[in-house]
Amino acid sequence: MADLKDFAEQLVNLTVKEVNELADILKEEYGIEPAAAAVAVAAGGGAAGGDAAEEKSEFDVILKSAGASKLAVVKLVKELTGLGLKDAKGLVDEAPKAIKEGIAKDEAEALKAQLEEAGAEVELK
């Protein structure tokens, strides 16, 4: 049991770079997806890191405004959310409004980048 505790402590104390390297090794050599590995390591880190500041794990993508190219933003919102055209237009018209809620940081940042590329003003919360 002591060996497992030591191993868990080592996992919790990994740097972001080390976690990424571990994820690469797990994927290439063992076929384990990096997202699952990162979530497992992050979950362990949150429980044991009492002194460390907790990092937010769920984000909301908020559309603040459609910007100059509203049509492109409506089409993108439709594609990203799976809503119909009318519902997507309504969501864009009601800005500021949440596009997606409670998603992972990577996914939220990807959505934000896509929406900003289409001309929208976006915020992550």
Side-chain angles (χ1 to χ4, degrees):
M1 185 62 95
D3 290 336
L4 287 177
K5 251 188 171 170
D6 292 340
F7 180 68
E9 189 171 320
Q10 288 175 343
L11 282 177
V12 168
N13 292 322
L14 289 176
T15 65
V16 173
K17 182 179 178 184
E18 291 169 332
V19 169
N20 287 332
E21 289 174 13
L22 176 61
D24 290 340
I25 292 168
L26 289 173
K27 181 177 182 183
E28 292 170 8
E29 294 184 21
Y30 301 100
I32 299 172
E33 286 299 315
V39 168
V41 171
D51 294 338
E54 287 187 31
E55 187 174 328
K56 190 172 180 180
S57 62
E58 291 186 347
F59 292 83
D60 298 340
V61 179
I62 309 295
L63 176 70
K64 291 176 77 177
S65 74
S69 54
K70 182 177 175 183
L71 182 59
V73 173
V74 170
K75 286 181 180 179
L76 185 58
V77 167
K78 177 184 178 287
E79 178 183 318
L80 295 173
T81 61
L83 294 172
L85 186 59
K86 182 179 179 182
D87 293 333
K89 182 184 180 302
L91 195 145
V92 171
D93 287 341
E94 295 172 5
K97 189 83 172 171
I99 300 292
K100 286 204 173 185
E101 297 176 325
I103 60 175
K105 183 177 183 178
D106 292 341
E107 184 181 355
E109 288 176 348
L111 290 176
K112 180 180 179 187
Q114 288 179 312
L115 288 163
E116 287 177 341
E117 188 175 311
E121 187 178 338
V122 182
E123 176 183 25
L124 296 181
K125 287 190 176 181

Coordinates of all heavy atoms in Angstrom, one line a residue, residues 1-82:
M1 N 0.8 -1.2 0.0 CA 0.0 0.0 0.0 C 0.9 1.3 0.0 O 0.5 2.2 -0.6 CB -0.9 0.0 1.2 CG -1.9 1.1 1.2 SD -3.1 1.1 -0.2 CE -4.4 0.3 0.5
A2 N 2.0 1.2 0.7 CA 2.9 2.4 0.8 C 3.4 2.7 -0.6 O 3.6 3.9 -1.0 CB 4.0 2.1 1.7
D3 N 3.7 1.7 -1.5 CA 4.2 2.0 -2.8 C 3.1 2.7 -3.6 O 3.4 3.7 -4.4 CB 4.5 0.7 -3.5 CG 5.8 0.0 -2.9 OD1 6.6 0.8 -2.3 OD2 5.9 -1.2 -3.1
L4 N 1.9 2.4 -3.5 CA 0.8 3.1 -4.2 C 0.7 4.5 -3.7 O 0.4 5.4 -4.5 CB -0.5 2.3 -4.1 CG -0.6 1.0 -4.9 CD1 -2.0 0.4 -4.6 CD2 -0.5 1.3 -6.3
K5 N 0.8 4.7 -2.4 CA 0.7 6.1 -1.9 C 1.9 6.9 -2.5 O 1.7 8.1 -2.9 CB 0.8 6.1 -0.4 CG -0.5 6.4 0.3 CD -0.3 6.6 1.8 CE -1.6 7.1 2.3 NZ -1.7 7.1 3.7
D6 N 3.1 6.4 -2.5 CA 4.2 7.1 -3.1 C 4.0 7.4 -4.6 O 4.3 8.5 -5.0 CB 5.5 6.3 -3.0 CG 6.0 6.1 -1.5 OD1 5.5 7.0 -0.7 OD2 6.7 5.2 -1.2
F7 N 3.4 6.4 -5.3 CA 3.1 6.6 -6.7 C 2.1 7.7 -6.9 O 2.3 8.6 -7.8 CB 2.7 5.3 -7.3 CG 2.3 5.4 -8.8 CD1 3.3 5.7 -9.7 CD2 1.0 5.3 -9.2 CE1 3.0 5.8 -11.1 CE2 0.7 5.4 -10.6 CZ 1.7 5.7 -11.5
A8 N 1.1 7.7 -6.1 CA 0.0 8.7 -6.2 C 0.6 10.1 -5.9 O 0.3 11.1 -6.6 CB -1.1 8.4 -5.2
E9 N 1.5 10.2 -4.9 CA 2.1 11.5 -4.6 C 3.0 12.0 -5.7 O 3.0 13.1 -6.0 CB 3.0 11.3 -3.3 CG 3.5 12.7 -2.8 CD 4.2 12.6 -1.4 OE1 3.6 11.8 -0.6 OE2 5.2 13.2 -1.3
Q10 N 3.7 11.0 -6.4 CA 4.5 11.4 -7.6 C 3.6 12.0 -8.7 O 3.9 13.0 -9.3 CB 5.3 10.2 -8.1 CG 6.5 9.8 -7.2 CD 7.1 8.6 -7.7 OE1 6.6 7.8 -8.5 NE2 8.3 8.3 -7.2
L11 N 2.5 11.3 -8.9 CA 1.5 11.8 -10.0 C 1.0 13.2 -9.6 O 0.9 14.0 -10.5 CB 0.4 10.8 -10.1 CG 0.6 9.5 -10.9 CD1 -0.6 8.6 -10.9 CD2 1.1 9.8 -12.3
V12 N 0.7 13.4 -8.4 CA 0.1 14.7 -8.0 C 1.1 15.8 -8.2 O 0.7 16.9 -8.5 CB -0.4 14.6 -6.5 CG1 -0.7 15.9 -6.0 CG2 -1.6 13.7 -6.4
N13 N 2.4 15.5 -8.0 CA 3.4 16.5 -8.0 C 4.0 16.7 -9.4 O 5.0 17.5 -9.6 CB 4.5 16.2 -7.0 CG 4.0 16.3 -5.6 OD1 3.2 17.2 -5.3 ND2 4.4 15.4 -4.7
L14 N 3.4 16.1 -10.5 CA 3.9 16.3 -11.8 C 3.7 17.7 -12.3 O 2.6 18.3 -12.0 CB 3.3 15.3 -12.8 CG 3.6 13.8 -12.6 CD1 2.8 13.0 -13.6 CD2 5.1 13.6 -12.9
T15 N 4.6 18.2 -13.1 CA 4.4 19.5 -13.7 C 3.5 19.3 -15.0 O 3.3 18.2 -15.4 CB 5.7 20.1 -14.2 OG1 6.3 19.3 -15.2 CG2 6.7 20.3 -13.0
V16 N 3.0 20.4 -15.5 CA 2.2 20.3 -16.7 C 3.0 19.6 -17.9 O 2.4 18.8 -18.6 CB 1.7 21.7 -17.2 CG1 1.0 21.7 -18.5 CG2 0.8 22.3 -16.1
K17 N 4.2 20.0 -18.0 CA 5.1 19.4 -19.1 C 5.2 17.9 -18.8 O 5.1 17.1 -19.8 CB 6.4 20.1 -19.1 CG 7.3 19.5 -20.2 CD 8.7 20.3 -20.1 CE 9.6 19.7 -21.2 NZ 10.9 20.3 -21.2
E18 N 5.4 17.5 -17.6 CA 5.6 16.1 -17.3 C 4.2 15.3 -17.6 O 4.3 14.2 -18.0 CB 6.0 15.9 -15.9 CG 7.4 16.3 -15.6 CD 7.8 16.4 -14.1 OE1 6.9 16.6 -13.3 OE2 9.0 16.2 -13.9
V19 N 3.1 15.9 -17.3 CA 1.8 15.3 -17.5 C 1.6 15.1 -19.0 O 1.2 14.1 -19.4 CB 0.7 16.2 -16.9 CG1 -0.7 15.7 -17.4 CG2 0.7 16.1 -15.4
N20 N 2.0 16.1 -19.8 CA 1.9 16.0 -21.2 C 2.8 14.9 -21.8 O 2.4 14.1 -22.6 CB 2.2 17.3 -21.9 CG 1.1 18.3 -21.8 OD1 0.0 18.0 -21.6 ND2 1.5 19.6 -21.8
E21 N 4.0 14.8 -21.2 CA 4.9 13.7 -21.6 C 4.3 12.3 -21.3 O 4.4 11.4 -22.0 CB 6.3 13.9 -21.0 CG 7.1 15.1 -21.6 CD 8.4 15.3 -20.9 OE1 8.8 14.5 -20.1 OE2 9.0 16.4 -21.1
L22 N 3.8 12.2 -20.1 CA 3.2 11.0 -19.6 C 2.0 10.6 -20.5 O 1.9 9.5 -20.9 CB 2.7 11.1 -18.1 CG 1.9 10.0 -17.6 CD1 2.8 8.7 -17.5 CD2 1.5 10.3 -16.2
A23 N 1.2 11.6 -20.9 CA 0.1 11.3 -21.7 C 0.5 10.8 -23.1 O -0.1 9.9 -23.6 CB -0.8 12.6 -21.9
D24 N 1.6 11.4 -23.6 CA 2.2 10.9 -24.9 C 2.6 9.4 -24.8 O 2.4 8.6 -25.7 CB 3.3 11.8 -25.4 CG 2.9 13.2 -25.8 OD1 1.7 13.3 -26.1 OD2 3.7 14.1 -25.9
I25 N 3.3 9.1 -23.7 CA 3.8 7.8 -23.5 C 2.7 6.8 -23.4 O 2.7 5.7 -24.0 CB 4.7 7.7 -22.2 CG1 6.0 8.5 -22.5 CG2 5.0 6.3 -21.9 CD1 6.8 8.7 -21.2
L26 N 1.6 7.2 -22.6 CA 0.5 6.3 -22.4 C -0.2 6.0 -23.7 O -0.7 4.9 -24.0 CB -0.5 6.9 -21.4 CG 0.0 6.9 -19.9 CD1 -1.0 7.6 -19.1 CD2 0.2 5.5 -19.4
K27 N -0.3 7.1 -24.6 CA -1.0 6.9 -25.9 C -0.2 6.0 -26.8 O -0.7 5.1 -27.4 CB -1.3 8.2 -26.5 CG -2.1 8.1 -27.8 CD -2.4 9.4 -28.4 CE -3.2 9.2 -29.7 NZ -3.5 10.5 -30.3
E28 N 1.1 6.4 -27.0 CA 1.9 5.7 -28.0 C 2.2 4.3 -27.6 O 2.2 3.4 -28.4 CB 3.2 6.5 -28.2 CG 3.0 7.8 -28.8 CD 4.2 8.7 -28.8 OE1 5.3 8.3 -28.4 OE2 4.1 9.9 -29.2
E29 N 2.6 4.0 -26.3 CA 3.0 2.7 -25.9 C 1.9 1.8 -25.4 O 2.0 0.6 -25.5 CB 4.1 2.8 -24.9 CG 5.4 3.5 -25.4 CD 6.5 3.5 -24.4 OE1 6.5 2.7 -23.5 OE2 7.4 4.3 -24.6
Y30 N 0.8 2.4 -24.9 CA -0.2 1.5 -24.2 C -1.6 1.7 -24.8 O -2.5 1.1 -24.4 CB -0.3 1.8 -22.7 CG 1.1 1.5 -22.1 CD1 2.0 2.5 -21.8 CD2 1.4 0.2 -21.8 CE1 3.2 2.2 -21.1 CE2 2.7 -0.1 -21.2 CZ 3.5 0.9 -20.9 OH 4.7 0.7 -20.3
G31 N -1.7 2.7 -25.8 CA -3.0 2.9 -26.4 C -4.1 3.6 -25.5 O -5.2 3.5 -25.8
I32 N -3.6 4.2 -24.5 CA -4.5 4.9 -23.6 C -4.6 6.4 -24.0 O -3.6 7.0 -24.2 CB -4.0 4.9 -22.1 CG1 -4.0 3.4 -21.6 CG2 -4.9 5.7 -21.2 CD1 -3.3 3.2 -20.3
E33 N -5.8 6.9 -24.2 CA -6.0 8.3 -24.7 C -5.5 9.3 -23.7 O -5.8 9.2 -22.5 CB -7.5 8.5 -25.0 CG -8.0 7.9 -26.2 CD -7.3 8.3 -27.5 OE1 -7.1 9.5 -27.7 OE2 -6.9 7.4 -28.3
P34 N -4.8 10.3 -24.2 CA -4.2 11.3 -23.3 C -5.3 12.1 -22.4 O -5.0 12.4 -21.3 CB -3.5 12.3 -24.2 CG -3.3 11.6 -25.5 CD -4.4 10.5 -25.5
A35 N -6.5 12.3 -23.0 CA -7.5 13.1 -22.3 C -7.9 12.3 -21.0 O -8.0 12.9 -19.9 CB -8.7 13.3 -23.1
A36 N -8.0 11.0 -21.1 CA -8.4 10.2 -19.9 C -7.2 10.2 -18.9 O -7.5 10.3 -17.7 CB -8.7 8.8 -20.3
A37 N -6.0 10.2 -19.4 CA -4.9 10.2 -18.5 C -4.8 11.6 -17.8 O -4.5 11.7 -16.6 CB -3.6 9.9 -19.2
A38 N -5.0 12.7 -18.5 CA -4.9 14.0 -18.0 C -6.0 14.2 -16.9 O -5.7 14.8 -15.9 CB -4.9 15.1 -19.0
V39 N -7.2 13.7 -17.2 CA -8.3 13.9 -16.3 C -8.0 13.1 -15.0 O -8.2 13.6 -13.9 CB -9.6 13.4 -16.9 CG1 -10.7 13.3 -15.9 CG2 -10.0 14.4 -18.0
A40 N -7.4 11.9 -15.1 CA -7.1 11.1 -13.9 C -6.0 11.8 -13.1 O -6.1 11.9 -11.9 CB -6.6 9.7 -14.4
V41 N -5.0 12.3 -13.7 CA -3.9 13.0 -13.0 C -4.5 14.3 -12.4 O -4.2 14.6 -11.2 CB -2.7 13.3 -13.9 CG1 -1.7 14.2 -13.2 CG2 -2.1 12.0 -14.3
A42 N -5.3 15.0 -13.1 CA -5.8 16.3 -12.6 C -6.8 16.0 -11.4 O -6.8 16.8 -10.4 CB -6.6 17.0 -13.7
A43 N -7.5 15.0 -11.5 CA -8.4 14.6 -10.4 C -7.7 14.3 -9.1 O -8.0 14.7 -8.0 CB -9.3 13.5 -10.8
G44 N -6.6 13.6 -9.3 CA -5.7 13.3 -8.1 C -5.1 14.5 -7.6 O -5.0 14.7 -6.4
G45 N -4.7 15.4 -8.4 CA -4.0 16.6 -8.0 C -4.9 17.5 -7.2 O -4.5 18.2 -6.2
G46 N -6.2 17.6 -7.6 CA -7.1 18.4 -6.9 C -7.4 18.0 -5.5 O -7.6 18.7 -4.6
A47 N -7.4 16.6 -5.3 CA -7.7 16.1 -4.0 C -6.6 16.3 -3.0 O -6.8 16.5 -1.8 CB -8.1 14.6 -4.1
A48 N -5.4 16.1 -3.5 CA -4.2 16.1 -2.6 C -3.6 17.5 -2.4 O -2.9 17.7 -1.5 CB -3.2 15.2 -3.1
G49 N -3.9 18.4 -3.3 CA -3.2 19.7 -3.3 C -4.0 20.7 -2.4 O -4.5 21.7 -2.9
G50 N -4.0 20.5 -1.1 CA -4.7 21.4 -0.2 C -4.2 22.8 -0.2 O -5.0 23.7 -0.2
D51 N -2.9 23.0 -0.3 CA -2.4 24.3 -0.3 C -2.4 25.0 -1.6 O -2.4 26.2 -1.7 CB -0.9 24.3 0.2 CG -0.8 23.9 1.7 OD1 -1.9 24.0 2.4 OD2 0.2 23.4 2.1
A52 N -2.4 24.2 -2.7 CA -2.4 24.8 -4.0 C -3.7 25.4 -4.4 O -4.8 24.9 -3.9 CB -2.0 23.7 -5.0
A53 N -3.7 26.4 -5.2 CA -5.0 27.0 -5.6 C -5.6 26.1 -6.6 O -5.0 25.5 -7.5 CB -4.7 28.4 -6.3
E54 N -6.9 25.9 -6.5 CA -7.6 25.0 -7.3 C -7.8 25.6 -8.7 O -8.2 26.8 -8.8 CB -9.0 24.6 -6.7 CG -8.9 23.7 -5.6 CD -10.3 23.2 -5.1 OE1 -11.2 23.1 -5.9 OE2 -10.4 23.0 -3.9
E55 N -7.5 24.8 -9.7 CA -7.7 25.3 -11.1 C -9.1 25.0 -11.6 O -9.6 23.9 -11.3 CB -6.7 24.7 -12.0 CG -6.7 25.3 -13.4 CD -5.6 24.8 -14.3 OE1 -4.5 24.5 -13.8 OE2 -5.8 24.7 -15.5
K56 N -9.7 25.9 -12.2 CA -11.1 25.7 -12.7 C -11.1 24.6 -13.8 O -10.2 24.6 -14.7 CB -11.6 27.0 -13.3 CG -13.1 27.0 -13.6 CD -13.5 28.4 -13.9 CE -15.0 28.4 -14.2 NZ -15.5 29.7 -14.5
S57 N -12.0 23.7 -13.7 CA -12.0 22.6 -14.7 C -13.2 22.7 -15.7 O -13.2 22.0 -16.7 CB -12.0 21.2 -14.0 OG -13.2 21.1 -13.2
E58 N -14.2 23.4 -15.3 CA -15.4 23.6 -16.2 C -15.5 25.0 -16.6 O -15.4 25.9 -15.7 CB -16.6 23.0 -15.6 CG -16.6 21.6 -15.4 CD -18.0 21.0 -14.8 OE1 -18.8 21.9 -14.4 OE2 -18.2 19.8 -14.9
F59 N -15.8 25.3 -17.9 CA -15.9 26.6 -18.4 C -17.2 26.8 -19.2 O -17.7 25.8 -19.7 CB -14.7 26.9 -19.3 CG -13.4 27.0 -18.6 CD1 -12.7 25.9 -18.3 CD2 -12.9 28.2 -18.2 CE1 -11.5 25.9 -17.6 CE2 -11.7 28.3 -17.5 CZ -11.0 27.1 -17.2
D60 N -17.7 28.0 -19.2 CA -18.8 28.4 -20.0 C -18.3 29.3 -21.1 O -17.5 30.2 -20.9 CB -19.9 29.2 -19.1 CG -20.4 28.3 -18.0 OD1 -20.3 27.1 -18.1 OD2 -21.0 28.9 -17.1
V61 N -18.8 29.1 -22.3 CA -18.5 29.9 -23.5 C -19.6 30.9 -23.6 O -20.7 30.5 -24.0 CB -18.2 29.1 -24.7 CG1 -17.9 30.0 -25.9 CG2 -17.1 28.0 -24.5
I62 N -19.3 32.2 -23.4 CA -20.4 33.2 -23.5 C -20.2 34.0 -24.7 O -19.1 34.6 -24.9 CB -20.3 34.1 -22.2 CG1 -20.3 33.3 -20.9 CG2 -21.4 35.1 -22.2 CD1 -21.5 32.5 -20.6
L63 N -21.2 34.1 -25.5 CA -21.2 35.0 -26.7 C -21.6 36.4 -26.2 O -22.7 36.6 -25.8 CB -22.1 34.5 -27.8 CG -22.3 35.4 -29.0 CD1 -21.0 35.3 -29.8 CD2 -23.5 34.9 -29.9
K64 N -20.6 37.3 -26.3 CA -20.9 38.7 -25.9 C -21.6 39.5 -27.0 O -22.5 40.3 -26.7 CB -19.6 39.4 -25.4 CG -19.1 38.8 -24.1 CD -17.8 39.4 -23.7 CE -18.0 40.7 -23.0 NZ -16.8 41.3 -22.5
S65 N -21.1 39.3 -28.2 CA -21.8 40.0 -29.3 C -21.4 39.3 -30.6 O -20.3 38.6 -30.7 CB -21.4 41.5 -29.4 OG -20.1 41.6 -29.9
A66 N -22.2 39.4 -31.6 CA -22.0 38.7 -32.9 C -20.9 39.4 -33.7 O -20.3 38.9 -34.6 CB -23.2 38.6 -33.7
G67 N -20.7 40.7 -33.5 CA -19.7 41.5 -34.2 C -20.3 41.9 -35.6 O -21.5 41.9 -35.8
A68 N -19.4 42.2 -36.5 CA -19.8 42.7 -37.8 C -20.4 41.6 -38.7 O -21.3 41.9 -39.5 CB -18.6 43.4 -38.5
S69 N -19.9 40.4 -38.6 CA -20.4 39.3 -39.5 C -21.3 38.4 -38.8 O -21.0 37.2 -38.5 CB -19.2 38.5 -40.1 OG -18.4 38.1 -39.0
K70 N -22.5 38.9 -38.5 CA -23.5 38.2 -37.7 C -23.9 36.8 -38.4 O -24.1 35.8 -37.7 CB -24.7 39.0 -37.5 CG -25.8 38.4 -36.7 CD -27.0 39.4 -36.5 CE -28.1 38.8 -35.7 NZ -29.2 39.7 -35.6
L71 N -24.0 36.8 -39.7 CA -24.5 35.6 -40.4 C -23.5 34.5 -40.2 O -23.8 33.4 -40.0 CB -24.7 35.9 -41.9 CG -25.2 34.8 -42.8 CD1 -26.5 34.2 -42.2 CD2 -25.3 35.2 -44.2
A72 N -22.2 34.8 -40.3 CA -21.1 33.8 -40.1 C -21.2 33.2 -38.7 O -21.0 32.0 -38.5 CB -19.8 34.4 -40.4
V73 N -21.4 34.1 -37.8 CA -21.5 33.7 -36.4 C -22.7 32.8 -36.1 O -22.6 31.8 -35.5 CB -21.5 34.9 -35.4 CG1 -21.7 34.5 -34.0 CG2 -20.2 35.7 -35.5
V74 N -23.8 33.2 -36.7 CA -25.1 32.3 -36.6 C -24.8 30.9 -37.2 O -25.2 29.9 -36.6 CB -26.3 33.0 -37.3 CG1 -27.4 32.1 -37.4 CG2 -26.7 34.3 -36.5
K75 N -24.2 30.9 -38.3 CA -23.9 29.6 -39.0 C -23.0 28.8 -38.1 O -23.2 27.6 -37.9 CB -23.3 29.8 -40.4 CG -24.3 30.3 -41.4 CD -23.6 30.4 -42.7 CE -24.5 30.9 -43.8 NZ -23.9 31.1 -45.1
L76 N -22.0 29.4 -37.5 CA -21.0 28.7 -36.7 C -21.7 28.2 -35.4 O -21.5 27.1 -35.0 CB -19.8 29.6 -36.4 CG -18.7 28.9 -35.6 CD1 -18.2 27.7 -36.3 CD2 -17.6 29.9 -35.3
V77 N -22.5 29.0 -34.8 CA -23.2 28.6 -33.6 C -24.1 27.5 -33.9 O -24.2 26.5 -33.1 CB -24.0 29.8 -33.0 CG1 -25.0 29.4 -31.9 CG2 -23.1 30.9 -32.4
K78 N -24.8 27.5 -35.0 CA -25.6 26.4 -35.4 C -24.8 25.1 -35.5 O -25.2 24.1 -35.0 CB -26.3 26.7 -36.8 CG -27.1 25.6 -37.4 CD -27.6 26.0 -38.8 CE -28.5 24.9 -39.4 NZ -27.7 23.8 -39.9
E79 N -23.7 25.2 -36.1 CA -22.8 24.0 -36.3 C -22.2 23.5 -35.0 O -22.2 22.3 -34.7 CB -21.6 24.4 -37.2 CG -20.6 23.3 -37.5 CD -19.4 23.8 -38.3 OE1 -19.7 24.5 -39.3 OE2 -18.3 23.5 -38.0
L80 N -21.8 24.4 -34.1 CA -21.2 24.0 -32.9 C -22.2 23.5 -31.8 O -21.8 22.6 -31.0 CB -20.4 25.2 -32.2 CG -19.3 25.8 -33.0 CD1 -18.7 27.1 -32.4 CD2 -18.2 24.7 -33.1
T81 N -23.4 24.0 -31.9 CA -24.4 23.6 -30.9 C -25.3 22.5 -31.3 O -26.0 21.9 -30.5 CB -25.2 24.8 -30.4 OG1 -25.9 25.3 -31.5 CG2 -24.3 25.8 -29.7
G82 N -25.5 22.3 -32.6 CA -26.4 21.4 -33.2 C -27.8 21.9 -33.2 O -28.8 21.2 -33.4

